[in-house]
Amino acid sequence: MWTVKALVTGYPGKSKAQGGLGWSTVALARGPEERVAVLDTGRMGLRKVLLDRLRDAGVSAEDVTDVLITHLHYDHVENWPCFRNATIHVPGDELDYALAQPEGTPLWPEHSLRALARCPRLHRLAEGGTGLPGVTCFAAPGHSPGHLVFVLEGAPRVVFSADVAKNRSELATGRADMSTDAAVHARSIARVNAAWREQAGTVLLPGHDLPLVLDGAGEMVAVGEREMVVEAWFGDALDQVTRFDLTERGAPPP
């Protein structure tokens, strides 16, 4: 049985001037046989926060036995080198696809992925078992060609969906704002919703939103509170700090 905790919760937003924020969900899972797994690893800019949050949870990077990667966009894979003792489980078909892209193709961090392809601890995944007891995966393409969703058996059961449905809006509508194929993607979102609903009490961890559960009426309910603050220096002194709350609490009035 696995226990899963979101170390970093993703954010359902984009920057118009600076491109994708890449603020994605990273989770810590503890399971049978003293397994310690990290689900997705976040972008490079998250590294210190990620390691600090692991330490706060009583885990060092060296303690991690397994890293489970849903897909190979930069904001989900770049920190895999932090975990020097871990087996790195990745979607095999997607790795082949990503390595075949020209240098400079958006979203695919070619230098990180080339190093990953040479890593002796690499474990290529396809739909089915992962080699970890109580953890399976299924294919859910659309956001990326070889995206996988992880299902971890526990109390509660957890579906780690990442960017198949990045946020509750995509889960609710069955449509996504970033698709390689909209029709294929819609079928993958439907599959995630079905997996989520097949067992009562299942927690869903989307890639760019808070963890979600279903209430008695089958409606989505967020777990926890969103945290997102940006500090900026617009003045001539370091103590002149402007803080922006990027959650619903900081939203301007309608």
Side-chain angles (χ1 to χ4, degrees):
M1 301 287 281
W2 289 83
T3 59
V4 182
K5 172 186 178 181
L7 290 172
V8 179
T9 54
Y11 183 78
K14 292 182 177 180
S15 165
K16 294 297 185 180
Q18 292 287 337
L21 297 172
W23 295 344
S24 62
T25 298
V26 180
L28 171 66
R30 292 180 170 95
E33 303 172 2
E34 299 185 347
R35 295 278 187 172
V36 178
V38 170
L39 288 85
D40 282 351
T41 68
R43 70 205 185 283
M44 182 73 74
L46 182 69
R47 185 166 291 185
K48 184 178 185 306
V49 171
L50 173 58
L51 295 175
D52 287 347
R53 300 248 173 123
L54 280 169
R55 184 194 64 233
D56 293 344
V59 175
S60 72
E62 290 73 21
D63 295 332
V64 175
T65 60
D66 299 274
V67 171
L68 297 166
I69 303 293
T70 57
H71 66 297
L72 299 174
H73 288 169
Y74 73 97
D75 54 325
H76 296 260
V77 71
E78 281 186 333
N79 287 323
W80 73 265
C82 293
F83 306 104
R84 293 181 289 275
N85 297 326
T87 300
I88 315 297
H89 307 266
V90 305
D93 288 347
E94 177 139 314
L95 181 59
D96 293 339
Y97 174 89
L99 292 172
Q101 302 311 299
E103 279 199 7
T105 301
L107 300 177
W108 307 105
E110 57 275 314
H111 302 301
S112 178
L113 295 182
R114 287 172 187 164
L116 177 58
R118 297 190 299 269
C119 178
R121 294 173 284 110
L122 173 70
H123 179 216
R124 298 166 63 96
L125 293 176
E127 178 161 339
T130 62
L132 300 180
V135 182
T136 57
C137 63
F138 63 83
H143 176 75
S144 69
H147 197 302
L148 294 176
V149 172
F150 294 106
V151 180
L152 294 89
E153 301 301 331
R157 174 175 176 264
V158 171
V159 175
F160 192 86
S161 68
D163 286 6
V164 178
K166 298 187 295 297
N167 53 57
R168 63 187 299 157
S169 299
E170 294 183 352
L171 283 161
T173 62
R175 296 183 293 111
D177 74 330
M178 291 178 61
S179 293
T180 58
D181 184 309
V184 168
H185 201 159
R187 290 194 290 272
S188 292
I189 294 174
R191 189 175 186 187
V192 167
N193 264 308
W196 184 17
R197 295 166 190 275
E198 69 187 15
Q199 183 172 317
T202 297
V203 177
L204 186 139
L205 291 178
H208 294 268
D209 213 335
L210 292 168
L212 298 167
V213 295
L214 298 165
D215 65 15
E219 299 296 324
M220 291 181 283
V221 178
V223 178
E225 291 190 7
R226 201 180 312 282
E227 296 179 275
M228 189 55 63
V229 174
V230 170
E231 294 184 343
W233 287 262
F234 297 134
D236 297 329
L238 283 176
D239 59 357
Q240 295 176 355
V241 179
T242 303
R243 291 172 57 87
F244 297 91
D245 184 343
L246 300 185
T247 68
E248 300 92 329
R249 298 181 298 275

